Amino acid sequence: MSRPSKGAAANAPEAAPGKPILVVHDIVKRFETPDGILTAVDHVSFTVAPGEFVSLIGPSGCGKSTLFNVIGGLIDGYEGAVTVAGERRSGPHAAIGMIFQEESTFPWRTVIDNVAFPLELAGLPKAERYERARHFVALVGLAGFERRYPAELSGGMRQRVSMARTLAASPKIMLMDEPFAALDEQTRLLLGDKVLQIQQELKQTMLLITHNITEAVQLSDRVLVMTYRPGKLKREVEIDLPRPRTSEIVSSEAFGRYVAQIWGDLREEASRGLRDDEQYQLERKDHP
Amino acid sequence: MAEAGRLTATAGRPRRGLLHPVTALRVGIIVAVLATWQLLSASGLLYRDVVPSLAAIALALYVTLSDPSFYFHLATTGYEIGIALAIGGVSGLAVGIALGASKLMAKAYEAYLYYLGPTPKIIFFPVMIMWFGVGAGSKVAMGAVSCFFPIALNVAAGMRGIDPVLIRVGASFRANTWQMVTKIYLPAMRYPVINGLRIGLGVALIGTLLAETKLSNRGIGFLVIQAYSLFNMPQMYSLLIVLFVISIGANALIGRLGGLHDIKRS
Amino acid sequence: MNSFAAFARSGLLTRLLPAALGIGSIVVLIGLVEALIRLGLINRFIVPMPSEIFLAFPRIVVEENVLSRFTLTISEAFSASILVAVFGIAGGVLLHRFTLLRQATETWVAAIAAAPLVLIYPLYLVIFGRSATTIVMMGFTAGVAPTVLKTLEGLSGTRRVLINVGRSFNLTPSQQFWKILFPAALPTIFVGLRLGLIFALINIVGVEFLINFGGLGQLINELSERYDLAGTYAAICFVVLVSVCVFVLMERLERWLRPGD
């Protein structure tokens, strides 16, 4: 499964070429609920090569957020293994940077203090912290906003701050859980451009969890499609669009074909999810 | 770390057996406090009379509760507080709504309320006596003035916290002012209003009781100061215990009426 | 007319109007009361003339040592504030840290916050005597419970995602507390402090008034017993000044600690 995609991984600095930086092996995660045992993730395995951009896409309720938390080390009690750069680990790890779906900037810190947070934890002296942090602030396109507070920024800008903060920790893998879900379509496309730019410049390995097909195809080298609960990997799609890319790619024919293909797979899963939801709501009404 | 999805929390509070650690801890704390009290009392380390024995307090409690005149005083205080809350509550609500609805009014007047609020209203008591006499009138006035401020301020803040969408819905249905207040504003700001009422109850109690201690011949405050002046400490403690139990109960009742499920949320 | 239009358009009008309205209407009210009293429509022995109150200010400053009394009351207020802050916040942190303790005692603390503790003052009189200590202790007792509750609420109400950010960076429990939980809880903690200080101040001046000891509360008691109504009202203004000082200072403190809000 670890076919390196063309182009992006060629200059990967970490690990020997061809050797995956992330191995997700046979993850099973179940939850106990009042309605019985729920299998959120059902034997999911995949790998990610260094410098690759992989998206995990699936309908709501397919367990992708659970997978995000498992890979990031925020939950345990699962079967299977997560291996990062050859090391099997559990629990949060310096090699993995996480970006969350919700607002996660620290409202009491300025932009630069937010971004410098991981450097502060590492014990870097103030001057060096700020210099490095400034680099990442500029990288996400927020130069000039260093002394502002998150409350003064828009939602998209705040997500960029969170991104810069995670990048400042120089993680081997960036793990993102629908970071642009709260933003409007146009902002998403433009931020997507930014992400691509950053990835190209830093050769950063990225794993994106999303439900947005356009986003997945726009950004990724590979798209992994998940089924509805219990979540399994339904299909792996290699995105053979040229790099470097910009958001203009969304109007190309090839783009449209990929989207159609993925939607074809997803639609069935999504409608199962919808029916399930309605059924549940009906039942709840009858047994309050 | 359970995920979201369809996981539902267990409804209601779990029933706790006697050996449950929380119950055990509570019992332990109560026993420790009572034991320390009794020891202090018996040893006479602290002024002997300030710490009467538990038995003396229990006896005084019995005496208090079985004395019919006690209930007369209780009723007096209760009546004073009730009316005070009604007056202060309604006026606080009206002013709060006015301030919350108009930015101009708020900017002009709210600061005065904000800084006048923490001023203890007991200092106005001599004035109240002049205006309302030495009877229940001045006590009610004290209570009403006390609770007006937190209620008005909380309601004003609550008004500003209402989701503007709801107000637009009301306007689109052309609701008149009364309808807006009763069908949109009040339901939308249940929580701030209830919290304002609880704080209002707290300060109204303080205002009224202090007024009774200062100048009155009836009411719980009067009984307390009378017990103190006669240095009947067990009696005083028994009164305080009853008073605290009732005020805590009233607070919880208001909270429950407002739909809050425990009295700690404020 | 031209300059007025320019003035109105400059936005200065919108900014000055509320303050002008507030102060203006109060001035009008005072003037109205003055007129009504002079006309005999309001009994001047129940409501003193505003002009007399105005004249009473210099009198009470000189004759009644208002300034030293003001200092006494405000220092009592500050002592109580510090005690409330230290023990209130520490208490909230403790309850947050030890879940069992919290489950056992949280409703009790809420009950204490709801009870009219002021009536305990005769007991404090016996224990601490007629001294400033009694007054400060009364203030502290009244203010600590709401602060504990709000601190607890602030800490446990920290947004889940911020905690997860901390976990994703592998923070130690101590780092998690100081770098995430505590700063996130500060606004709520300050709400609790404000509430606690309101109760504390009410109790401080109230007890001064009742036991006829201390600063401004005692002064008001004395003045009212002498039926010096004008002086009483003037002294009341100084009490309001205490409240203004305490809360403005707290606002400054909050803004300094959380400049981002």
Side-chain angles (χ1 to χ4, degrees), chain B residues 1 22 26 30 47 50 107-109 112 114-116 118-120 122-123 126-127 130-131 199 209-210 214 225 228 236-237 240 243-244 247-248 251 264 266, chain C residues 18 22-23 25 45-47 100 103-104 106-108 111 114 116 119 121-123 126-127 150 153 194 202 205-206 209-210 221 224 233 239-240 243 247-248:
Chain B
M1 235 242 314
V22 173
R26 283 180 164 161
I30 294 179
Y47 309 90
V50 175
K107 284 215 190 114
Y109 297 113
Y112 296 109
Y114 185 75
Y115 291 113
L116 210 50
T119 311
I122 190 69
I123 59 183
V127 175
M130 302 234 87
W131 290 0
I199 299 177
L209 287 170
L210 286 188
K214 187 74 181 170
I225 208 69
Y228 171 64
M236 202 179 100
Y237 280 109
L240 288 180
L243 180 63
F244 288 174
S247 62
I248 293 167
N251 194 300
K264 65 186 174 191
S266 66
Chain C
I23 298 180
S25 50
F45 291 109
I46 295 183
V47 183
L100 188 59
Q103 286 175 312
E106 191 174 356
T107 35
W108 293 0
L119 284 184
Y121 82 86
L123 288 171
V126 177
I127 300 178
K150 278 297 191 181
E153 183 186 315
R194 241 190 302 274
I202 292 181
V205 179
F209 177 82
L210 286 169
N221 191 27
S224 64
Y233 278 89
V239 174
V240 176
S243 137
F247 287 95
V248 164

Coordinates of all heavy atoms in Angstrom, one line a residue, chain B residues 1 22 26 30 47 50 107-109 112 114-116 118-120 122-123 126-127 130-131 199 209-210 214 225 228 236-237 240 243-244 247-248 251 264 266, chain C residues 18 22-23 25 45-47 100 103-104 106-108 111 114 116 119 121-123 126-127 150 153 194 202 205-206 209-210 221 224 233 239-240 243 247-248:
Chain B
M1 N -11.1 8.3 27.1 CA -11.6 9.5 26.5 C -12.7 9.2 25.4 O -12.4 8.9 24.3 CB -10.5 10.3 25.8 CG -10.4 11.7 26.2 SD -10.6 13.0 25.0 CE -9.7 12.5 23.6
V22 N -17.7 9.2 48.0 CA -18.2 10.6 48.2 C -19.0 10.7 49.5 O -18.7 11.6 50.3 CB -19.0 11.0 47.0 CG1 -19.6 12.4 47.3 CG2 -18.2 11.1 45.7
R26 N -18.1 12.8 52.8 CA -19.0 13.8 53.4 C -19.2 13.5 54.9 O -19.1 14.4 55.7 CB -20.3 13.8 52.6 CG -20.2 14.5 51.3 CD -21.5 14.5 50.6 NE -21.6 15.4 49.6 CZ -22.4 15.4 48.6 NH1 -23.3 14.5 48.5 NH2 -22.4 16.3 47.6
I30 N -18.2 15.8 58.1 CA -19.2 16.3 59.1 C -18.8 15.8 60.5 O -18.8 16.6 61.4 CB -20.6 15.8 58.7 CG1 -21.1 16.4 57.4 CG2 -21.6 16.1 59.8 CD1 -22.5 15.9 57.0
Y47 N -13.2 31.0 73.8 CA -14.2 31.6 74.7 C -15.3 30.6 74.9 O -16.0 30.3 74.0 CB -14.8 32.9 74.2 CG -13.7 33.8 73.8 CD1 -13.2 33.8 72.5 CD2 -13.2 34.7 74.7 CE1 -12.2 34.7 72.1 CE2 -12.2 35.6 74.3 CZ -11.7 35.6 73.0 OH -10.8 36.5 72.6
V50 N -18.8 31.1 73.4 CA -18.9 31.2 71.9 C -19.1 29.8 71.3 O -19.7 29.7 70.2 CB -17.7 31.9 71.3 CG1 -17.8 31.9 69.8 CG2 -17.6 33.3 71.8
K107 N -25.2 53.0 28.1 CA -23.9 53.8 28.3 C -24.1 55.0 29.2 O -23.2 55.4 29.9 CB -23.5 54.3 26.9 CG -22.8 53.3 26.0 CD -21.7 53.9 25.2 CE -21.3 52.9 24.2 NZ -21.6 53.3 22.8
A108 N -25.4 55.5 29.2 CA -25.6 56.7 30.1 C -25.7 56.3 31.6 O -25.2 57.0 32.4 CB -26.9 57.4 29.6
Y109 N -26.4 55.2 31.8 CA -26.8 54.9 33.2 C -26.2 53.7 33.9 O -26.2 53.6 35.1 CB -28.3 54.9 33.4 CG -29.0 56.2 33.0 CD1 -29.8 56.3 31.9 CD2 -28.8 57.3 33.8 CE1 -30.4 57.4 31.6 CE2 -29.4 58.5 33.5 CZ -30.2 58.6 32.3 OH -30.9 59.7 32.0
Y112 N -23.6 53.7 36.7 CA -24.0 54.1 38.0 C -24.5 52.9 38.8 O -24.2 52.8 40.0 CB -25.1 55.2 37.9 CG -24.6 56.5 37.3 CD1 -25.0 56.9 36.0 CD2 -23.7 57.3 37.9 CE1 -24.6 58.0 35.4 CE2 -23.2 58.5 37.3 CZ -23.7 58.8 36.1 OH -23.2 59.9 35.5
Y114 N -23.7 49.9 38.3 CA -22.6 49.0 38.5 C -21.8 49.3 39.7 O -21.4 48.5 40.5 CB -21.7 49.0 37.3 CG -20.6 48.0 37.3 CD1 -20.8 46.6 37.1 CD2 -19.3 48.4 37.5 CE1 -19.7 45.8 37.0 CE2 -18.2 47.6 37.4 CZ -18.5 46.2 37.2 OH -17.4 45.3 37.2
Y115 N -21.5 50.6 39.9 CA -20.7 51.0 41.1 C -21.6 51.3 42.3 O -21.0 51.2 43.4 CB -19.9 52.3 40.7 CG -18.8 52.0 39.7 CD1 -18.9 52.6 38.4 CD2 -17.8 51.1 40.0 CE1 -17.9 52.3 37.5 CE2 -16.8 50.8 39.1 CZ -16.9 51.4 37.9 OH -15.9 51.1 36.9
L116 N -22.8 51.5 42.2 CA -23.7 51.7 43.3 C -24.1 50.3 43.9 O -24.3 50.2 45.1 CB -25.0 52.5 42.9 CG -25.6 53.3 44.0 CD1 -24.6 54.3 44.6 CD2 -26.7 54.2 43.3
P118 N -22.4 47.5 44.7 CA -21.7 46.9 45.8 C -21.7 47.7 47.1 O -21.2 47.4 48.1 CB -20.2 46.8 45.3 CG -20.3 47.0 43.9 CD -21.5 47.8 43.6
T119 N -22.3 48.9 47.0 CA -22.4 49.7 48.2 C -23.5 49.1 49.1 O -24.6 48.8 48.7 CB -22.9 51.2 47.8 OG1 -22.1 51.6 46.7 CG2 -22.8 52.1 48.9
P120 N -23.1 48.9 50.3 CA -24.0 48.2 51.2 C -25.2 49.2 51.5 O -25.0 50.3 51.9 CB -23.2 48.0 52.5 CG -22.1 49.0 52.4 CD -21.8 49.2 51.0
I122 N -27.3 49.1 53.8 CA -27.7 49.4 55.2 C -27.4 50.8 55.5 O -28.0 51.4 56.4 CB -26.9 48.4 56.1 CG1 -27.4 48.5 57.5 CG2 -25.4 48.7 56.1 CD1 -28.8 47.9 57.7
I123 N -26.5 51.5 54.7 CA -26.2 52.8 55.1 C -27.3 53.8 54.7 O -27.4 54.9 55.2 CB -24.9 53.3 54.4 CG1 -25.0 53.2 52.8 CG2 -23.7 52.5 54.9 CD1 -23.8 53.5 52.1
P126 N -31.0 54.6 57.8 CA -31.6 55.8 58.5 C -32.5 56.6 57.6 O -33.5 57.1 58.1 CB -30.3 56.6 58.9 CG -29.2 55.6 58.8 CD -29.5 54.6 57.8
V127 N -32.1 56.7 56.3 CA -33.0 57.4 55.4 C -34.3 56.7 55.2 O -35.4 57.3 55.2 CB -32.3 57.6 54.1 CG1 -33.2 58.2 53.1 CG2 -31.0 58.4 54.3
M130 N -36.7 57.3 58.0 CA -37.4 58.6 57.9 C -38.5 58.5 56.9 O -39.6 59.1 57.1 CB -36.4 59.6 57.4 CG -35.2 59.8 58.3 SD -35.0 61.5 58.8 CE -36.0 61.5 60.2
W131 N -38.3 57.8 55.8 CA -39.3 57.8 54.8 C -40.4 56.8 55.0 O -41.6 57.0 54.7 CB -38.7 57.4 53.4 CG -37.8 58.4 52.8 CD1 -37.5 59.7 53.4 CD2 -37.1 58.4 51.6 NE1 -36.7 60.3 52.6 CE2 -36.4 59.6 51.5 CE3 -37.0 57.4 50.6 CZ2 -35.6 59.8 50.4 CZ3 -36.2 57.7 49.5 CH2 -35.5 58.9 49.4
I199 N -28.9 36.0 43.5 CA -28.0 37.0 44.1 C -28.9 38.0 44.8 O -28.6 38.5 45.9 CB -27.1 37.6 43.1 CG1 -26.2 36.6 42.4 CG2 -26.2 38.7 43.7 CD1 -25.3 37.1 41.4
L209 N -32.3 41.5 57.0 CA -31.9 41.0 58.3 C -31.1 42.1 59.1 O -31.3 42.3 60.3 CB -31.1 39.7 58.2 CG -31.9 38.5 57.7 CD1 -31.0 37.4 57.4 CD2 -32.8 38.1 58.9
L210 N -30.2 42.7 58.4 CA -29.4 43.8 59.1 C -30.3 44.9 59.6 O -30.1 45.4 60.7 CB -28.3 44.3 58.2 CG -27.1 43.4 57.9 CD1 -26.1 44.2 57.1 CD2 -26.6 42.9 59.2
K214 N -30.8 46.1 63.4 CA -30.5 47.5 63.9 C -31.7 48.1 64.6 O -31.6 48.7 65.6 CB -30.2 48.3 62.6 CG -29.8 49.7 62.9 CD -28.3 49.8 63.5 CE -27.9 51.2 63.8 NZ -26.7 51.2 64.5
I225 N -30.3 39.3 67.3 CA -29.6 40.3 68.1 C -30.1 40.3 69.5 O -29.3 40.6 70.5 CB -29.8 41.7 67.4 CG1 -28.6 42.6 67.8 CG2 -31.1 42.4 67.9 CD1 -27.3 42.2 67.1
Y228 N -28.1 37.6 71.1 CA -26.8 38.0 71.4 C -26.7 38.9 72.6 O -25.8 38.8 73.4 CB -26.2 38.7 70.1 CG -24.9 39.4 70.3 CD1 -23.8 38.6 70.6 CD2 -24.8 40.8 70.2 CE1 -22.5 39.2 70.8 CE2 -23.6 41.4 70.4 CZ -22.5 40.6 70.7 OH -21.3 41.2 70.9
M236 N -28.8 31.7 69.7 CA -28.3 32.4 68.5 C -27.9 31.4 67.4 O -28.3 31.5 66.3 CB -27.1 33.3 68.8 CG -27.0 34.4 67.8 SD -25.7 35.5 68.2 CE -24.5 34.9 67.1
Y237 N -27.2 30.4 67.8 CA -26.8 29.4 66.9 C -28.0 28.6 66.3 O -28.0 28.4 65.1 CB -25.8 28.3 67.5 CG -24.4 28.8 67.6 CD1 -23.9 29.1 68.9 CD2 -23.6 28.9 66.5 CE1 -22.6 29.5 69.0 CE2 -22.3 29.4 66.6 CZ -21.8 29.7 67.8 OH -20.5 30.1 67.9
L240 N -29.5 30.8 63.7 CA -28.6 30.9 62.5 C -28.8 29.6 61.7 O -28.9 29.6 60.5 CB -27.2 31.1 62.9 CG -26.8 32.5 63.4 CD1 -25.3 32.5 63.7 CD2 -27.1 33.5 62.3
L243 N -32.1 29.7 59.9 CA -32.0 30.7 58.9 C -31.3 30.2 57.7 O -31.7 30.4 56.5 CB -31.4 32.0 59.5 CG -31.3 33.1 58.5 CD1 -32.7 33.6 58.1 CD2 -30.5 34.3 59.2
F244 N -30.1 29.7 57.9 CA -29.3 29.2 56.8 C -29.9 28.1 56.1 O -29.9 28.1 54.8 CB -27.9 28.7 57.3 CG -27.0 29.9 57.8 CD1 -25.8 29.6 58.4 CD2 -27.4 31.2 57.6 CE1 -25.0 30.7 58.8 CE2 -26.6 32.2 58.1 CZ -25.4 32.0 58.7
S247 N -32.6 29.7 53.9 CA -32.1 30.5 52.8 C -31.5 29.6 51.7 O -31.7 29.9 50.5 CB -31.2 31.6 53.3 OG -30.1 31.0 53.8
I248 N -30.8 28.6 52.1 CA -30.2 27.7 51.2 C -31.3 27.0 50.4 O -31.3 26.8 49.2 CB -29.3 26.6 51.9 CG1 -28.1 27.3 52.4 CG2 -28.9 25.5 50.9 CD1 -27.3 26.5 53.4
N251 N -32.9 29.4 47.9 CA -32.0 29.5 46.8 C -32.1 28.4 45.8 O -32.2 28.5 44.6 CB -30.6 29.7 47.3 CG -29.6 30.2 46.2 OD1 -29.4 29.6 45.2 ND2 -29.0 31.3 46.5
K264 N -25.2 25.1 42.4 CA -23.9 25.6 42.3 C -23.7 26.5 41.1 O -22.8 27.3 41.0 CB -22.9 24.5 42.3 CG -23.0 23.7 41.0 CD -22.1 22.5 41.1 CE -22.4 21.6 39.9 NZ -22.0 20.4 39.7
S266 N -23.8 29.5 38.9 CA -24.2 30.9 39.0 C -23.4 31.8 38.1 O -22.4 31.4 37.6 CB -24.1 31.4 40.4 OG -22.8 31.4 40.9
Chain C
P18 N -24.0 59.7 25.5 CA -24.5 58.9 26.6 C -24.0 59.5 27.9 O -24.8 59.6 28.9 CB -23.9 57.5 26.4 CG -23.4 57.5 25.0 CD -23.2 58.9 24.6
G22 N -26.4 60.9 30.8 CA -26.4 60.4 32.2 C -26.1 61.5 33.2 O -26.9 61.7 34.1
I23 N -25.0 62.2 33.0 CA -24.7 63.2 33.9 C -25.8 64.3 33.9 O -26.3 64.8 34.9 CB -23.3 63.8 33.6 CG1 -22.3 62.8 33.8 CG2 -23.1 65.0 34.5 CD1 -20.9 63.3 33.5
S25 N -29.0 64.2 33.1 CA -30.3 63.8 33.7 C -30.1 63.8 35.3 O -31.1 64.2 36.0 CB -30.8 62.5 33.2 OG -29.8 61.5 33.3
F45 N -36.8 67.8 56.2 CA -36.2 67.1 57.3 C -36.1 65.6 56.9 O -35.4 64.8 57.6 CB -37.1 67.2 58.5 CG -37.0 68.6 59.1 CD1 -38.1 69.4 59.1 CD2 -35.8 69.0 59.6 CE1 -38.0 70.7 59.5 CE2 -35.7 70.3 60.1 CZ -36.8 71.2 60.1
I46 N -36.7 65.2 55.8 CA -36.5 63.8 55.4 C -35.5 63.7 54.2 O -34.7 62.9 54.2 CB -37.9 63.2 54.9 CG1 -38.8 63.1 56.1 CG2 -37.7 61.8 54.3 CD1 -40.1 62.5 55.8
V47 N -35.6 64.7 53.3 CA -34.7 64.8 52.2 C -33.9 66.1 52.3 O -34.5 67.1 52.1 CB -35.4 64.7 50.9 CG1 -34.4 64.7 49.8 CG2 -36.2 63.4 50.8
L100 N -12.7 13.9 44.1 CA -13.5 13.4 45.2 C -14.0 14.5 46.1 O -15.1 14.6 46.5 CB -12.7 12.3 46.0 CG -13.5 11.6 47.0 CD1 -14.7 10.8 46.3 CD2 -12.7 10.6 47.8
Q103 N -16.6 16.5 44.5 CA -17.9 15.9 44.4 C -18.6 16.0 45.8 O -19.8 16.1 45.9 CB -17.8 14.4 44.0 CG -17.5 14.3 42.5 CD -17.3 12.9 42.1 OE1 -16.5 12.2 42.8 NE2 -17.9 12.4 41.1
A104 N -17.8 15.8 46.8 CA -18.3 15.8 48.2 C -18.8 17.2 48.6 O -19.8 17.4 49.3 CB -17.3 15.3 49.2
E106 N -18.8 20.4 46.8 CA -19.2 21.6 45.9 C -20.6 22.1 46.3 O -20.8 23.3 46.4 CB -19.2 21.1 44.4 CG -19.4 22.3 43.5 CD -19.2 22.0 42.1 OE1 -18.9 20.8 41.8 OE2 -19.4 22.9 41.2
T107 N -21.6 21.3 46.5 CA -22.9 21.8 46.8 C -22.9 22.5 48.2 O -23.6 23.4 48.4 CB -24.0 20.6 46.8 OG1 -23.4 19.5 47.3 CG2 -24.5 20.4 45.5
W108 N -22.0 22.0 49.1 CA -21.9 22.7 50.4 C -21.4 24.1 50.2 O -21.9 25.1 50.8 CB -21.0 21.9 51.3 CG -21.5 20.6 51.7 CD1 -22.7 20.0 51.3 CD2 -20.8 19.7 52.6 NE1 -22.8 18.8 51.9 CE2 -21.7 18.6 52.7 CE3 -19.6 19.7 53.3 CZ2 -21.4 17.5 53.4 CZ3 -19.3 18.6 54.0 CH2 -20.2 17.5 54.1
A111 N -24.0 26.2 49.0 CA -25.0 26.6 50.0 C -24.4 27.7 50.9 O -25.2 28.6 51.2 CB -25.2 25.3 50.9
A114 N -24.9 31.0 49.4 CA -26.3 31.4 49.3 C -26.8 31.9 50.7 O -27.8 32.5 50.8 CB -27.2 30.3 48.8
P116 N -27.0 34.0 54.3 CA -26.7 35.3 54.8 C -25.7 35.3 55.9 O -26.1 35.3 57.1 CB -28.0 35.9 55.2 CG -28.9 34.7 55.6 CD -28.4 33.6 54.7
L119 N -24.9 37.6 59.5 CA -25.4 37.5 60.9 C -24.5 36.8 61.8 O -24.7 36.8 63.0 CB -26.8 36.8 60.9 CG -27.9 37.6 60.4 CD1 -29.2 36.8 60.6 CD2 -28.0 38.9 61.2
Y121 N -21.8 38.1 62.5 CA -20.9 39.1 63.0 C -20.8 39.2 64.5 O -19.8 39.5 65.1 CB -21.2 40.5 62.4 CG -22.4 41.3 63.0 CD1 -22.2 42.1 64.1 CD2 -23.6 41.2 62.5 CE1 -23.2 42.8 64.7 CE2 -24.7 41.9 63.0 CZ -24.5 42.7 64.1 OH -25.5 43.3 64.7
P122 N -21.9 39.0 65.3 CA -21.8 39.0 66.7 C -20.7 38.0 67.2 O -20.0 38.3 68.2 CB -23.2 38.6 67.3 CG -24.1 38.9 66.1 CD -23.3 38.7 64.9
L123 N -20.7 36.8 66.5 CA -19.7 35.8 66.9 C -18.3 36.3 66.7 O -17.4 36.2 67.6 CB -19.9 34.6 66.1 CG -21.1 33.8 66.5 CD1 -21.4 32.7 65.5 CD2 -21.0 33.2 67.9
V126 N -17.2 38.6 69.4 CA -16.7 38.0 70.6 C -15.3 37.5 70.4 O -14.4 37.6 71.3 CB -17.7 36.9 71.0 CG1 -17.1 36.2 72.2 CG2 -19.0 37.4 71.3
I127 N -15.1 36.9 69.2 CA -13.8 36.2 69.0 C -12.7 37.3 68.7 O -11.6 37.2 69.3 CB -13.8 35.3 67.8 CG1 -14.9 34.2 68.1 CG2 -12.5 34.6 67.6 CD1 -15.0 33.2 66.9
K150 N -16.7 30.1 41.4 CA -16.5 30.6 40.0 C -15.1 30.1 39.5 O -14.9 29.8 38.4 CB -16.6 32.1 40.0 CG -18.0 32.6 39.9 CD -18.6 32.1 38.6 CE -19.9 32.8 38.3 NZ -20.5 32.4 37.0
E153 N -15.6 26.7 38.4 CA -16.4 26.7 37.2 C -15.5 27.0 36.0 O -15.5 26.4 35.0 CB -17.5 27.7 37.3 CG -18.4 27.7 36.1 CD -19.5 28.8 36.2 OE1 -20.1 29.0 37.3 OE2 -19.7 29.5 35.2
R194 N -15.4 39.5 41.5 CA -16.2 40.6 41.5 C -17.4 40.3 42.5 O -17.8 41.1 43.3 CB -16.8 41.0 40.1 CG -16.4 42.3 39.7 CD -17.1 42.7 38.4 NE -16.9 41.8 37.3 CZ -15.8 41.9 36.5 NH1 -15.0 42.8 36.6 NH2 -15.7 41.0 35.6
I202 N -20.2 44.8 51.0 CA -21.5 45.0 51.7 C -21.3 44.7 53.1 O -21.8 45.4 54.0 CB -22.6 44.2 51.0 CG1 -22.9 44.7 49.6 CG2 -23.8 44.1 51.9 CD1 -24.0 43.9 48.9
V205 N -18.8 47.4 55.1 CA -19.4 48.7 55.5 C -20.6 48.5 56.4 O -20.8 49.2 57.4 CB -19.8 49.5 54.3 CG1 -20.4 50.8 54.7 CG2 -18.5 49.8 53.5
G206 N -21.3 47.4 56.1 CA -22.5 47.1 56.9 C -22.1 46.8 58.4 O -22.8 47.3 59.3
F209 N -21.1 49.8 60.2 CA -22.3 50.6 60.5 C -22.9 50.0 61.8 O -23.3 50.7 62.7 CB -23.2 50.6 59.3 CG -24.5 51.2 59.6 CD1 -24.7 52.6 59.4 CD2 -25.7 50.5 59.9 CE1 -25.9 53.2 59.6 CE2 -26.9 51.1 60.1 CZ -27.0 52.5 59.9
L210 N -23.0 48.7 61.8 CA -23.7 48.1 62.9 C -23.0 48.1 64.2 O -23.6 48.3 65.3 CB -24.0 46.6 62.5 CG -25.1 46.4 61.5 CD1 -25.2 45.0 61.0 CD2 -26.5 46.8 62.1
N221 N -23.2 55.9 60.6 CA -24.0 55.6 61.8 C -24.1 56.8 62.7 O -25.2 57.3 63.2 CB -23.4 54.4 62.5 CG -24.4 53.9 63.5 OD1 -25.6 54.1 63.5 ND2 -23.8 53.3 64.6
S224 N -26.0 59.8 61.3 CA -27.5 59.6 61.2 C -28.1 59.7 62.6 O -29.2 60.1 62.8 CB -27.8 58.3 60.5 OG -27.3 57.2 61.2
Y233 N -25.7 61.9 53.8 CA -25.7 61.7 52.4 C -24.3 62.0 51.8 O -23.8 61.3 50.9 CB -26.7 62.7 51.7 CG -28.1 62.2 51.7 CD1 -28.9 62.5 52.8 CD2 -28.6 61.4 50.7 CE1 -30.2 62.0 52.8 CE2 -29.9 61.0 50.7 CZ -30.7 61.3 51.7 OH -32.0 60.8 51.8
V239 N -18.6 56.4 50.4 CA -18.7 54.9 50.4 C -18.8 54.5 49.0 O -18.1 53.5 48.6 CB -20.0 54.4 51.2 CG1 -20.1 52.9 51.0 CG2 -19.8 54.8 52.7
V240 N -19.6 55.2 48.2 CA -19.7 54.8 46.7 C -18.3 55.0 46.1 O -17.9 54.1 45.3 CB -20.7 55.7 46.0 CG1 -20.7 55.5 44.5 CG2 -22.1 55.6 46.6
S243 N -16.3 51.9 46.6 CA -16.7 50.8 45.7 C -16.1 51.1 44.3 O -15.6 50.2 43.7 CB -18.2 50.7 45.7 OG -18.7 50.6 44.4
F247 N -13.4 48.5 42.4 CA -13.8 47.8 41.2 C -13.1 48.3 39.9 O -12.8 47.5 39.0 CB -15.3 47.8 41.0 CG -16.0 46.8 41.9 CD1 -16.5 47.3 43.1 CD2 -16.0 45.5 41.7 CE1 -17.1 46.4 44.0 CE2 -16.6 44.6 42.6 CZ -17.1 45.1 43.8
V248 N -12.7 49.5 39.9 CA -11.9 50.0 38.8 C -10.6 49.4 38.9 O -10.0 49.0 37.8 CB -11.8 51.6 38.9 CG1 -10.7 52.1 38.0 CG2 -13.1 52.2 38.4

